[in-house]
Amino acid sequence: MMATFVPQVPTAAPAQMLALASAVNAALRGDTANVGMATCAAAESEITIRDERCRAGRLALLIPLDAAAASAVWWLSAMTQGSMTFRFASPPGECAFAWALLGDGGSGVNQKQGANA
């Protein structure tokens, strides 16, 4: 289940303040719901996940949920607005993964890499 966003309105109504406090408290508890499930068919060499929270600057992880997934060698080959694609060195066979998104989607990752280059 995807979390419900607090509407952005210009007035500070009591219901708006309660919704905002509830959302902030959930985020501080780690209940951000930036996760999902993905399956890989036997001959697939990549998995594309479509989710509105995907965007440049986010970090993405695959978490293996079975032995075939655990043996897979993967990398994040594309992260665009609304989707991310993981590629496999060789098709891992039928398997299942969980995935997680981390970060604010800003350019902090790229800035840090640029500073070290």
Side-chain angles (χ1 to χ4, degrees), residues 8-109:
Q8 296 179 356
V9 296
T11 58
Q16 175 74 1
M17 296 297 103
L18 287 173
L20 183 58
S22 177
V24 168
N25 289 335
L28 291 172
R29 281 191 306 270
D31 300 336
T32 57
N34 294 330
V35 297
M37 304 289 280
T39 57
C40 183
E44 283 186 291
S45 60
E46 68 181 31
I47 296 175
T48 297
I49 297 164
R50 300 191 194 298
D51 189 285
E52 65 188 42
R53 295 165 294 184
C54 297
R55 63 177 96 2
R58 290 262 165 103
L59 300 176
L61 300 172
L62 283 180
I63 300 97
L65 297 178
D66 55 38
S71 67
V73 175
W74 60 268
W75 66 94
L76 179 64
S77 65
M79 175 71 81
T80 62
Q81 184 68 42
S83 72
M84 59 185 165
T85 300
F86 296 94
R87 293 193 55 81
F88 301 103
S90 61
E94 189 173 321
C95 59
F97 295 94
W99 56 264
L101 287 170
L102 307 166
D104 65 2
S107 59
V109 171

